Each structure stands twice: as structure tokens, then as C-alpha cells.
Amino acid sequence: MPAAEQAQVGVLQQVCRQLRLPLAGAVFPALVTEAGERRDGVMLVRLAQMPPVRLFTGMDLPKAADQVVTQVAAWLDALPPGGAEPVLFSIFDACLGNLYALLCQLGHGLDDRVIYAGANAGQETFQLLDCVFDSDILAGNALLTVLLPSAARPSVEHGFSLPVRIMRATRTEANRILTLDDRPAFDVYREALVEDYGQELSVDSFYGHSVHFPLAILAGDSLVQVRIPVVLDAAGGLTCVGEVPEGSIIVIIRAPEVGESDCIDRIADHLGVSQDTLLTFYCAGRRMHLGPDGTRRELADLCRQTGSAHLAGALSLGEISTDGRGAPAFHNAALLCLRVRDQDQS
């Protein structure tokens, strides 16, 4: 559901209860189709068989991740032995301050028994919103987990290249960067934009620039995890979508324009060509950078290169993938696609 229709979730839940249909979903800034974005209506994806699914509330509480690990482990234990790893698809409330820590706990608890994929729900303003639902519950501080078959084959890409300047996040608090190289984070960010990209930056123009010049955490195996700063505080701290571990190596990157990156090429190479509907989550920050026309061009290119007849999905507020070591990774400004077989779009 798009955020503008959040009040209608109760109607959808009531209808599904009356029809005895299982329901699992979330509220996102907008819907995504092959024609672009929509901020009205509802996107329904019907599966031939309902996969294991559960909504967890109170995810900001201690030991919340233990409940998720216990449930997912039970699902995995019930699967026939010898099969390929299933896909643990997760939808988090984007306002969870401990989201990255939760992902790390899931990774430690489940090891390499699953492939990780997922997206963040909520609204673009990052104001608190009940945004995750099943047939009975609509909640914030929540997580929806779905165990999809390995055939879903998730692909997550952003297509960014890396600059030379490297910094260290010397002080952080969850998703807030207090200092870069022991100086106020905003001062360092502003200087780097002028020196490396020729972009003048003020407090008033901060958010208009940050979607075009996000931060990136350099992780193992050359993995790049993008973080878009969304709030500048009075002390010069930068609040990002997703946590930034203290001591992380940070770079500032320029978001590519349409056609400048290999993002769509890499997704198409991974997924192959098929007319199946493509479940697609497109980062709202990426959309802000490219604009509506650029987003439509990129989605059209995605359809063309993958051969998909339809796209079904939403603008997301962060995307989840599996890193080169089999652990979960969290991104901003990325594009997540899955093929879920035997589905119809309506």
C-alpha cells in the first residue's frame, strides 16, 4: 500500500479475513509498476502457495531478534534436507534505530542457511507510521518475515563507483554519525563536496545534495553499503537511513545518472530473461536523485533487459542483500528485484 492509502489497510484486512485469505504486506512511500510510480490504490501479488510468514512487533526491544531466529530456524528445520538455501525476505519499519544491529543478529543466528533480501517500509519523511501488516495487525517497530523458495533469486545493485578520498567514522550512535576523522561530520562532508565535486553546501541545501552525494561504508569483499544522510542536527551530526558502525571506513560517492551505471545490466545478468512479473523495490532516495523521468527510464530499461511483462513493487527506504560471506547487508539507493514463480498480478 502507498502511504497515502495507509488508512485503508483495515479495509483490506477485513476483506481478506472474510475471504479466509492470508495477508502479508507493508506501507511504502509509493507503488512501482512498469509505467512508473503510483501513490494511490493497492498492489496485490497472489502466490500459488502461501509461504511461511510471520509479523513480529516490538523489534526495538532487547532480544527481539532472538524470536525471529527461533521462528526462522523452525521453518528451516521443517524443510526437506539437501535443497538450495531459501530466501529470507524481510520488510522492516524504516524508523527502527537498531535495524542494522538486528540484521547482524539474524546473520549470526542463522549463519548461511538462507539468502537474505528485503526492503524498508514507511514514509519518505521518516515520521513514525504503522507500516507493517498481516490479516489482523498493523504496526510500527515491526518486521515481516517471509521464507521464499530459492527460485526467487534476489538481485540487489546500486551501480555506484568509488572515489579516492577515504574517511573514518570516529564517533557514531546507531544511525547517527557524530564525527568523521575526529571532526564534526557535517564539516567534513561539506568540505569534501567542495574539494572533490565542486559542490557548495549549506545547512539549508543539505538534504537537496545528500541524495546526490550519499555516503558509503566499505566492507569486506569489496562490498559497498550506501547510506543516505537524511537529517542534519545542530551539533553537525548526520543521521542516516541505517546504522553506521563506529570505526567504519567511509567515502562520499556521486550517484550516477541514468545510463551511467551498470546497475540494470548486472540485475539482468543475474536474473536472466523471462516474462514473469518482477517483484521490484526501488529506493526512494534513488528516485529523488534521478527524478520521475529518470526513474521511469530506468524501470523501462529493467523491463526490457529482463524481458519481464510487468513490474510489481514499491519505493523502499533501504534494501537488504547477502554479502560475499553469506551475511545480511543493508543498502540505500539500491534496486532490489526478485522473481517469484507462479504468481499473478492484479
Side-chain angles (χ1 to χ4, degrees), residues 288-319:
M288 286 185 66
H289 165 64
L290 294 176
D293 290 341
T295 298
R296 280 193 292 269
R297 287 174 56 194
E298 197 163 52
L299 291 173
D301 196 25
L302 178 65
C303 276
R304 181 180 59 81
Q305 293 202 45
T306 61
S308 298
H310 300 289
L311 300 182
L315 289 184
S316 50
L317 298 168
E319 299 74 44

Side-chain angles (χ1 to χ4, degrees), residues 32 280-284 286-287 290 295 298-299 314-316 334-335:
V32 165
T280 303
F281 293 88
Y282 194 100
C283 184
R286 189 182 189 93
R287 185 262 184 203
L290 294 176
T295 298
E298 197 163 52
L299 291 173
L315 289 184
S316 50
L335 182 55

Side-chain angles (χ1 to χ4, degrees), residues 47-118:
L47 304 179
Q49 182 176 357
M50 190 67 178
V53 59
R54 180 171 169 183
L55 190 154
F56 296 87
T57 58
M59 292 305 297
D60 55 343
L61 300 176
K63 296 189 175 181
D66 294 342
Q67 301 178 38
V68 183
V69 170
T70 299
Q71 175 64 83
V72 176
W75 290 340
L76 295 171
D77 291 342
L79 294 176
E85 296 91 347
V87 176
L88 181 63
F89 186 78
S90 304
I91 299 179
F92 285 89
D93 176 355
C95 288
L96 279 168
N98 60 338
L99 192 151
Y100 186 67
L102 288 170
L103 276 177
C104 290
Q105 289 177 269
L106 295 184
H108 289 309
L110 298 172
D111 202 10
D112 57 356
R113 300 179 68 188
V114 297
I115 297 170
Y116 298 94

Side-chain angles (χ1 to χ4, degrees), residues 1-58:
M1 299 277 273
E5 301 276 22
Q6 191 256 13
Q8 302 302 316
V9 172
V11 176
L12 179 62
Q13 290 174 318
Q14 182 179 7
V15 169
C16 288
R17 288 195 300 267
Q18 290 173 345
L19 297 176
R20 298 183 180 180
L21 289 175
L23 176 67
V27 176
F28 292 93
L31 305 179
V32 165
T33 74
E34 62 276 8
E37 66 181 75
R38 289 189 57 169
R39 297 180 182 261
D40 62 335
V42 58
M43 179 75 72
L44 303 176
V45 178
R46 184 180 65 198
L47 304 179
Q49 182 176 357
M50 190 67 178
V53 59
R54 180 171 169 183
L55 190 154
F56 296 87
T57 58

Side-chain angles (χ1 to χ4, degrees), residues 310-332:
H310 300 289
L311 300 182
L315 289 184
S316 50
L317 298 168
E319 299 74 44
I320 298 164
S321 73
T322 303
D323 68 15
R325 296 161 294 180
F330 179 70
H331 308 273
N332 298 153

